[in-house]
Amino acid sequence: MAFSVSRLASRLSASRYVSSVHSVRRLSVSQHHWSRQAKVGFIGLGNMGGPMATNLIQKGHSLVVYDVSSDAAARLEDEGACVVGTPAEVASQADRIITMLPNSQHVRSCYTGEHGVFQAVQAGTLILDSSTIDPTVSKEMAALATKKGAVFMDAPVSGGVNAAKGATLTFMVGGEQQEFEAAKELLSAMGKNIVYCGGVGNGQAVKICNNMLLAITMIGTAETMNLGMRLGLEPKLMASIINTASGRCWSSDTYNPVPGVMPNVPSSNNYQGGFGTALMTKDLGLAQDAATATKSPTPLGSLSHQIYRIMSNSDLAEKDFSSIFQFLQEQEE
Ligand code: NAD
């Protein structure tokens, strides 16, 4: 049955909101089965958002998309998405919105800016932010969404670009539990592990902790491989032993930082694509902010942040974060 967006919006505002003089009682978006005719909005079509949006199209969703980069938007247009000129235009056409932006500042401006999502968001809209940002910004956006009668959940991802392409991402979801099923229904088109982590901001909390550990293990893997190679070991042999021994980790067996050890990873492609050094530096900064706020000792997280900050000021800033291997290799022998 055809189901227009405007009919959907009026149905949502009529059925989900019971107004009184002082309050608006919101009913769960989970109680609504989304119409396939209604569009999914997608904002931020970069290394991760691009393939995630592609997967939504391939699973039969109609997309309305926006990116500040017209090249990124054009790639999705070629795949059948409708491209618009502002986040507000996305919000006016979609009852579900996903954002995949670099950092907290981008998210804040995308939602609260002059032509931002909150200028036009419809009551009853489900918003999922998959960017990795400060959990306090997620809480701020959720409070603003509530004022508009919408639902905001944080849903950062783990898995990298290959998992984004293969729709095997892990989503760490924070927000009201009653809305989780609605979020899961949509996120399942882009990932295989959709995990409820608690209140809004908790998805970001898990993600920040995971990425601090990832940075530590990536630096450890890179310095270990570099040492072994300077001892005369052949890197593939060395990796194969580590990967069946106690030093094994994701950085060694899935995303090895040494060029040529594994196919289809950024290190074997001049560290192009993947997860940028600048983004890892940002995540380590978020972890340090959280450590300060909670008075938690994170000596290795702090050192990793310093190392990636130095790399961010080098020509490796735009390369994948596994280029820490190249950074160490270039140091004096
Ligand atoms: P990216 O830089 O490749 O893509 C970001 C996209 O957002 C770009 O296309 C950019 O043009 C667009 N953009 C920037 N500001 C915008 C705005 N105001 N409005 C609309 N579009 C805007 O970044 P990415 O690698 O896709 O990462 C996105 C998020 O996902 C980051 O928070 C990152 O930490 C997180 N993440 C990345 C990876 C990874 O492996 N790349 C893995 C997990 C999580």
Side-chain angles (χ1 to χ4, degrees):
M1 185 185 74
F3 198 107
S4 78
V5 173
S6 56
R7 276 181 56 205
L8 174 67
S10 60
R11 198 176 110 178
L12 290 171
S13 47
S15 68
R16 292 198 206 160
Y17 296 86
V18 181
S19 300
S20 70
V21 175
H22 298 296
S23 67
V24 175
R25 182 164 66 86
R26 196 182 67 237
L27 302 182
S28 168
V29 295
S30 309
Q31 293 166 359
H32 174 68
H33 282 288
W34 304 110
S35 157
R36 282 278 160 147
Q37 277 73 30
K39 284 185 177 141
V40 177
F42 208 113
I43 303 174
L45 306 162
N47 287 332
M48 296 294 286
M52 288 164 69
T54 297
N55 280 322
L56 285 168
I57 292 173
Q58 287 176 353
K59 305 264 165 67
H61 293 282
S62 289
L63 256 62
V64 53
V65 303
Y66 170 70
D67 194 296
V68 286
S69 155
S70 49
D71 286 349
R75 279 193 289 276
L76 266 295
E77 191 167 35
D78 289 345
E79 295 177 25
C82 167
V83 176
V84 294
T86 65
E89 285 177 72
V90 171
S92 69
Q93 293 188 33
D95 62 359
R96 289 158 286 168
I97 298 172
I98 299 165
T99 46
M100 192 51 165
L101 298 162
N103 62 36
S104 301
Q105 287 73 26
H106 294 102
V107 169
R108 199 180 260 126
S109 79
C110 171
Y111 283 96
T112 66
E114 196 185 348
H115 302 290
V117 167
F118 290 143
Q119 292 297 323
V121 72
Q122 303 168 65
T125 298
L126 176 63
I127 300 169
L128 301 168
D129 178 38
S130 287
S131 327
T132 304
I133 62 165
D134 186 331
T136 61
V137 176
S138 303
K139 289 178 186 167
E140 199 185 303
M141 294 304 111
L144 293 172
T146 301
K147 284 187 183 160
K148 300 281 180 183
V151 173
F152 178 101
M153 303 178 89
D154 55 312
V157 305
S158 170
V161 171
N162 285 342
K165 288 180 181 161
T168 58
L169 291 166
T170 293
F171 285 89
M172 296 153 266
V173 184
E176 293 173 40
Q177 189 157 19
Q178 63 176 355
E179 313 295 4
F180 177 61
E181 282 309 313
K184 191 173 176 183
E185 184 184 338
L186 187 57
L187 298 175
S188 297
M190 301 174 286
K192 70 172 183 196
N193 298 311
I194 323 294
V195 186
Y196 181 67
C197 299
V200 69
N202 273 17
Q204 299 294 355
V206 179
K207 171 69 187 169
I208 289 167
C209 290
N210 178 74
N211 273 22
M212 185 177 81
L213 179 58
L214 172 61
I216 293 167
T217 61
M218 181 56 81
I219 295 169
T221 302
E223 69 183 38
T224 299
M225 294 296 294
N226 192 43
L227 173 64
M229 289 163 70
R230 289 190 187 184
L231 288 169
L233 294 170
E234 200 278 316
K236 272 192 182 173
L237 171 80
M238 196 181 164
S240 74
I241 293 170
I242 287 173
N243 290 341
T244 53
S246 48
R248 179 178 62 85
C249 61
W250 187 87
S251 299
S252 70
D253 74 0
T254 307
Y255 210 88
N256 198 287
V258 180
V261 164
M262 298 182 68
N264 304 323
V265 290
S267 60
S268 294
N269 185 28
N270 195 25
Y271 300 104
Q272 300 300 314
F275 180 46
T277 292
L279 289 177
M280 177 53 96
T281 309
K282 178 245 330 180
D283 289 0
L284 289 166
L286 293 173
Q288 288 311 291
D289 291 346
T292 304
T294 56
K295 298 191 170 85
S296 304
T298 54
L300 294 184
S302 175
L303 182 57
S304 303
H305 186 213
Q306 294 299 319
I307 292 170
Y308 274 105
R309 279 180 59 191
I310 294 167
M311 274 178 71
S312 283
N313 289 321
S314 75
D315 57 3
L316 299 174
E318 300 305 320
K319 294 202 169 181
D320 180 74
F321 81 113
S322 63
S323 62
I324 178 65
F325 174 78
Q326 186 179 327
F327 180 74
L328 295 174
Q329 198 182 35
E330 285 168 358
Q331 307 305 310
E332 287 281 310
E333 289 195 36

